[in-house]
Amino acid sequence: MTPRRVPEALLPWAMSVLGVPVGDPLPHLAVVAGDASNRRYFRFEVASQSYVLAESPPSTEKNEAFLRVDALLDRAAVKVPTVLGADLDRGFLLLEDLGDQLLWPALNTVSVDHYYTLAFDVLAKMAAVNTDNTGLAPYDRTLLGEELSRFQQWFVHELLGYTPNPSEQALLDTVFERLISSALEQPPVMVHRDFHSRNLMLIGSDGLAVIDFQDAVVGPITYDLVSLLRDCYIEWPIERVQAWVRNYRDRLCSQGLLTDTDETLFLRWFDWMGLQRHIKVLGTFSRLYLRDGKSAYLDDLPLVVQYVLQIADQYAEEEPIFADFSAWFSQRLSPLIMTQSWSKNR
């Protein structure tokens, strides 16, 4: 892919927003690590103060949603980058610099309880948001189904080169319908949609900030929890994950954010929501590689495959359709996966 040139107007615009004369030479723009989108981030300093500039093309990026959700989270006392300026026509954003310390590299078996407790604080604040009149779209059947369709198009067909026959297609349709129904029976709350260790930043010794939130919707209460605890970039023992899930459920109940939901049902919601998410992610990561040339996401596919089979097998006895799905995946897809270079990454 040919790198895009930095728009000449980007830095002078930021200087004008800050009320600083445009001098010669201009401050140096340093590239900041980006994400899966078409946005690009740059850091620069003025008068010993650091700022972040985003070039976020309005043709592809949800800039208005970013501004709206940023304000919504800020009002909920969730730390997000302060927006200092925005030019929606050109897709320029001037943001507070939150630093470079993502949560992901700070996690280990000793630190994780502390940091996840901080993350649960954030999730509880989001769950308490009154989503009426916020402009947040519903995480409805259409969106959940579109996400699952990425699995067949991008992972199964485009990446692995396999086309399900009619009976296999019927199996997938039935599994997907069960997962969608489970998601829709959950209490709806504000959902980040990508709440994981690479979208949480450490602020000082005891603070977490949230980034990459422009896709927020109103949806299942377990969605962000499973994004965090079954992170596509880091794995924890299943017993530890289940303990965190129970603790967070107890917290929701104590705060009046969840009622009439026992542990067994909440854990099933959580597990099935994770199965939906990880089936989707197999398609999304494949698309990022095949369509957008972002090959690094292939390295994370083996863990996601493991999550999918783990949960399908866990519920196979009580849900025969999941046993059928796991058998189909293992018989038809696993041999094809083993021919892929990324399959050796775990």
Side-chain angles (χ1 to χ4, degrees), residues 209-229:
V210 180
I211 59 174
D212 204 19
F213 42 72
Q214 63 283 335
D215 291 324
V217 291
V218 179
I221 198 167
T222 65
Y223 192 92
D224 284 341
L225 184 66
V226 80
S227 301
L228 177 73
L229 299 183

Side-chain angles (χ1 to χ4, degrees), residues 11 17 28 40 44 83 113 134 195 246 266 276 303 338:
L11 191 52
V17 171
H28 173 66
R40 292 193 299 170
F44 71 101
V83 178
D113 280 315
T134 59
F195 192 91
R246 293 188 183 97
F266 194 77
Q276 186 275 345
L303 176 57
M338 293 303 295

Side-chain angles (χ1 to χ4, degrees), residues 316-333:
E317 184 173 347
E318 62 184 271
E319 299 289 338
I321 194 67
F322 286 177
D324 294 342
F325 173 76
S326 179
W328 170 78
F329 195 110
S330 298
Q331 293 167 13
R332 295 289 184 263
L333 301 189

Side-chain angles (χ1 to χ4, degrees), residues 32-297:
V32 179
D35 52 26
S37 73
N38 288 318
R39 293 183 297 273
R40 292 193 299 170
Y41 298 93
F42 307 91
R43 176 176 285 117
F44 71 101
E45 286 191 6
V46 172
S48 300
Q49 179 67 47
S50 182
Y51 302 91
V52 168
L53 262 172
E55 182 208 358
S56 187
S59 60
T60 61
E61 303 309 306
K62 302 176 181 178
N63 295 328
E64 291 185 3
F66 176 89
L67 298 178
R68 183 172 64 250
V69 178
D70 184 274
L72 184 62
L73 290 171
D74 182 65
R75 289 195 297 271
V78 173
K79 179 58 184 173
V80 289
T82 300
V83 178
L84 303 171
D87 184 330
L88 293 177
D89 290 336
R90 291 186 288 184
F92 295 171
L93 301 173
L94 179 61
L95 307 172
E96 172 190 10
D97 188 356
L98 297 178
D100 289 312
Q101 185 59 62
L102 298 178
L103 176 59
W104 177 57
L107 292 174
N108 56 54
T109 56
V110 176
S111 69
V112 63
D113 280 315
H114 170 68
Y115 287 129
Y116 278 6
T117 297
L118 299 180
F120 294 159
D121 292 342
V122 175
L123 287 178
K125 290 176 181 178
M126 292 172 58
V129 169
N130 183 344
T131 57
D132 295 340
N133 303 313
T134 59
L136 295 177
Y139 212 161
D140 58 14
R141 181 175 297 275
T142 299
L143 181 53
L144 288 161
E146 183 280 320
E147 290 182 339
L148 288 166
S149 72
R150 301 175 198 174
F151 167 75
Q152 183 173 328
Q153 178 183 354
W154 292 99
F155 181 70
V156 177
H157 181 68
E158 298 290 346
L159 188 65
L160 299 182
Y162 186 79
T163 301
N165 63 37
S167 64
E168 292 170 332
Q169 184 62 59
L171 168 66
L172 292 176
D173 291 344
T174 303
V175 170
F176 293 173
E177 176 57 32
R178 295 297 302 277
L179 296 177
I180 291 171
S181 296
S182 176
L184 294 178
E185 76 179 29
Q186 299 182 36
V189 297
M190 183 180 183
V191 173
H192 179 289
R193 283 185 74 196
D194 220 9
F195 192 91
H196 57 70
S197 60
R198 292 186 182 179
N199 282 334
L200 297 171
M201 301 189 70
L202 297 181
I203 306 296
S205 59
D206 263 336
L208 281 184
V210 180
I211 59 174
D212 204 19
F213 42 72
Q214 63 283 335
D215 291 324
V217 291
V218 179
I221 198 167
T222 65
Y223 192 92
D224 284 341
L225 184 66
V226 80
S227 301
L228 177 73
L229 299 183
R230 290 212 174 104
D231 195 326
C232 296
Y233 310 112
I234 190 168
E235 178 187 9
W236 304 107
I238 189 169
E239 297 82 8
R240 200 165 189 184
V241 170
Q242 290 175 341
W244 286 323
V245 174
R246 293 188 183 97
N247 289 340
Y248 185 66
R249 173 204 165 271
D250 292 345
R251 175 171 184 160
L252 291 174
C253 292
S254 69
Q255 294 182 219
L257 299 172
L258 185 69
T259 58
D260 302 323
T261 305
D262 62 26
E263 283 188 358
T264 300
L265 177 58
F266 194 77
L267 276 167
R268 191 188 75 187
W269 280 348
F270 172 85
D271 286 333
W272 290 26
M273 195 74 260
L275 186 55
Q276 186 275 345
R277 174 172 169 79
H278 292 120
I279 289 173
K280 173 196 79 170
V281 167
L282 289 177
T284 302
F285 283 7
S286 300
R287 184 175 67 181
L288 284 167
Y289 165 59
L290 294 166
R291 188 190 68 185
D292 303 331
K294 298 183 177 183
S295 60
Y297 288 92

